[in-house]
Amino acid sequence: MQRQSQISAQKSFAVAPMIDWTDRHCRFFHRRLTGRALLYTEMIVADAAIHGDRERLLGFDRSEHPVALQLGGSDPHKLAQAAEIGAGYGYDEINLNVGCPSDRVQSGTFGACLMKTPEVVAAGVAAMKARVSVPVTVKSRIGVDEQDIETALDALAGAAWSAGADALWVHARKAWLQGLSPKENREIPPLDYDRVYRLKKANPDRFIGINGGILSLEEAATHLKTVDGVMLGRGAYQNPALLAGVDAFLEERAPEPVDFHGLIEAMAEYADRHISQGGRLSHVTRHMIGLFHGFDGARRYRQILSSKATRPGAGSEILREAFAAVDLATRRDAA
């Protein structure tokens, strides 16, 4: 697949970086469904990219393009070094995480904590821009804790852009650094899409994408009337068949039927390669559990993958067995 930057005047669609979810197997699967969506890695801490097992952390299949590397960190020198390593691996974009609220990132004073220190974000972005030629972007919240979301988001955005950031993706919720778990931070703070819209209205020439609680292409279309990009997280992961409509959605044409048989065969062959290299079937199939949401037989499909794909020695025949349980001719509101 030809490499391409998604930071352009065209409307963009992205699958959000999600820790423990958007690994290389997930991205390979998602790419079989959409050629145009921008895919993101899990957040990789800069220190890990510099000192860790780079092939395990950063390696990816070339078919995943366009694919972005999301980094976590606050030290400009380390971020620049990690960005350069990522660009060397062939990533199409480097993204700085300014939104993760977990205890782990708080102890390292990065992620959502950086909403409190826009100058640190600016220093990190500037350092990365000086070392790589691919776009450098930022993904933030609208604020943290008791911050005023009007001034907090403006300050963060202004700092990022002053340092040369090519795009800002905004999760339209606050993050509460004390009292809420990462899961609760994705659900409890109320969504405020209008705040992101106001940022875009005040900055019409800047690329601003929106994230948070978007579950369908219909909702995405509504947001794209105002902002430049939409990013789906759990909505895309838990109902991946949605991604099969993304290319037609962006190109404003009628969607084509999904070739589920071809998809399953491609994933079975990929799983076989992974297993031959010492991996397990479940590393691949765990990302495919929600594929047939709404189809008759989807429950049985999920049961087979959940119970059999995790067994030692399980091979791609388990994926084919699960697929055989699905009736593609019957789609219902609930599987």
Side-chain angles (χ1 to χ4, degrees), residues 21 26 29-30 33 234-244 260 263-264 284-295 297-303 305-306 319 322 326 331-332 335:
W21 285 6
C26 174
F29 170 49
H30 285 175
L33 291 161
R234 286 168 292 164
Y237 188 89
Q238 294 170 349
N239 182 23
L242 173 154
L243 295 174
F260 284 114
L263 172 63
I264 293 300
V284 176
T285 57
R286 72 185 185 96
H287 303 296
M288 302 175 65
I289 296 293
L291 178 59
F292 294 105
H293 177 76
F295 284 94
R299 182 176 290 109
R300 181 58 183 154
Y301 166 85
R302 294 192 298 267
Q303 288 172 343
L305 289 188
S306 297
L319 177 56
V326 180
R331 186 162 192 172
R332 302 176 180 179

Side-chain angles (χ1 to χ4, degrees), residues 111-266:
C113 296
L114 295 178
M115 292 293 303
K116 297 179 177 181
T117 54
E119 68 280 2
V120 175
V121 173
V125 169
M128 290 189 287
K129 288 287 291 183
R131 294 281 283 273
V132 302
S133 59
V134 297
V136 173
T137 66
V138 172
K139 185 171 187 289
S140 75
R141 293 286 184 128
I142 58 175
V144 296
D145 299 338
E146 300 296 341
Q147 283 186 324
D148 181 327
I149 61 173
E150 299 301 325
T151 57
L153 185 57
D154 281 349
L156 185 284
W161 290 327
S162 70
D166 295 284
L168 177 64
W169 291 93
V170 184
H171 185 157
R173 305 179 197 265
K174 267 192 172 183
W176 289 92
L177 302 179
Q178 302 295 327
L180 294 180
S181 68
K183 180 178 185 297
E184 290 170 332
N185 260 298
R186 293 191 297 268
E187 299 170 349
I188 293 177
L191 287 159
D192 191 344
Y193 297 133
D194 286 340
R195 176 63 189 97
V196 185
Y197 292 171
R198 291 194 297 275
L199 182 69
K200 178 59 187 177
K201 184 177 180 180
N203 298 274
D205 297 327
R206 301 289 190 179
F207 183 103
I208 298 172
I210 198 166
N211 169 233
I214 306 169
L215 300 177
S216 70
L217 295 182
E218 290 75 20
E219 292 176 51
T222 298
H223 290 298
L224 287 176
K225 293 176 182 177
T226 305
V227 295
D228 305 296
V230 290
M231 179 180 280
L232 271 66
R234 286 168 292 164
Y237 188 89
Q238 294 170 349
N239 182 23
L242 173 154
L243 295 174
V246 167
D247 295 359
F249 167 72
L250 291 174
E251 295 163 10
E252 299 182 342
R253 58 176 172 81
E256 300 173 1
V258 182
D259 177 10
F260 284 114
H261 291 87
L263 172 63
I264 293 300
E265 281 306 307

